[in-house]
Amino acid sequence: MRFEVWAQTDVGLKREINQDAILVDHEINLFVVADGMGGHKGGEVASALAVETVQEVIAKRRSEPKLQPRKILQDAYREASSRIHHKSTHESPELMGMGTTMVLMWEYRDRLYVGNVGDSRAYLFHASRLWQLTEDHSLINEQVRAGVISEEDAPHVMGRNVITRSVGFEKEVS
């Protein structure tokens, strides 16, 4: 499978430090975007560690006999979350509470596997159309799914940047 991949990152209008980490690894066909949680110290540390960990786990395990790609992705996310949490609670307590969102795509044996935690998104662009593949783990999205607010009201609700799941804020993540 051939991929056309490009990436761009920007510090944005509200932050002084860019907390994004991007990985394009054509050797193992792994593509990752992690966005550190802006309201916390160490978001750039969390996103870099998450990307590094996922790459390491997948590179090490991709030749396992009876490989289960979904299980490997779940394990990679869990390992990244564990390492980030450990760093913030044991090695660098000044970074307590750091975390990151992360979305990835891994091609293995002509199949695409997508994983996400948080509100970083994966899209499919085909035939001049764009489809959102992942679902945000955010307070707003949960309220829309529960019928508490409408999709039309969502952009106007306070707290729309609150995510309900991240990599590293807690030791384990699904």
Side-chain angles (χ1 to χ4, degrees):
M1 216 177 267
R2 286 187 44 84
F3 296 98
E4 186 176 330
V5 179
W6 63 97
Q8 180 176 343
T9 183
D10 186 272
V11 70
L13 300 174
K14 295 182 180 180
R15 308 284 177 226
E16 294 179 15
I17 298 172
N18 191 337
Q19 297 185 341
D20 301 340
I22 297 172
L23 173 75
V24 176
D25 187 333
H26 286 286
E27 185 178 323
I28 62 174
N29 285 328
L30 177 64
F31 311 97
V32 186
V33 174
D35 181 5
M37 295 182 341
H40 299 271
K41 288 183 182 177
E44 72 282 3
V45 175
S47 62
L49 185 53
V51 167
E52 174 186 307
T53 302
V54 167
Q55 182 183 30
E56 177 188 315
V57 169
I58 291 173
K60 186 187 322 182
R61 295 188 53 196
R62 69 189 170 113
S63 58
E64 287 180 354
K66 298 184 180 181
L67 180 134
Q68 298 176 334
R70 290 180 186 161
K71 172 92 168 86
I72 289 177
L73 290 184
Q74 290 170 342
D75 292 348
Y77 270 90
R78 286 187 185 112
E79 180 64 23
S81 199
S82 178
R83 287 183 189 182
I84 293 165
H85 188 265
H86 182 270
K87 184 169 189 70
S88 71
T89 56
H90 294 90
E91 297 172 26
S92 304
E94 70 278 7
L95 300 178
M96 181 76 76
M98 73 174 171
T100 186
T101 67
M102 184 165 56
V103 62
L104 65 79
M105 192 221 39
W106 180 36
E107 185 271 331
Y108 179 75
R109 293 190 176 166
D110 292 327
R111 288 190 172 213
L112 299 178
Y113 297 88
V114 176
N116 84 297
V117 168
D119 61 357
S120 294
R121 297 176 177 172
Y123 292 89
L124 171 63
F125 180 73
H126 180 71
S128 299
R129 303 224 30 223
L130 193 64
W131 290 273
Q132 183 177 336
L133 298 177
T134 56
E135 193 166 300
D136 291 356
H137 301 124
S138 67
L139 184 59
I140 290 293
N141 192 49
E142 288 184 14
Q143 290 176 333
V144 168
R145 285 188 320 182
V148 175
I149 61 172
S150 69
E151 283 191 47
E152 295 78 28
D153 291 337
H156 310 292
V157 175
M158 288 184 56
R160 62 184 173 274
N161 296 344
V162 175
I163 59 173
T164 56
R165 198 180 307 177
S166 67
V167 180
F169 183 74
E170 295 180 305
K171 186 176 181 179
E172 294 188 21
V173 68
S174 69

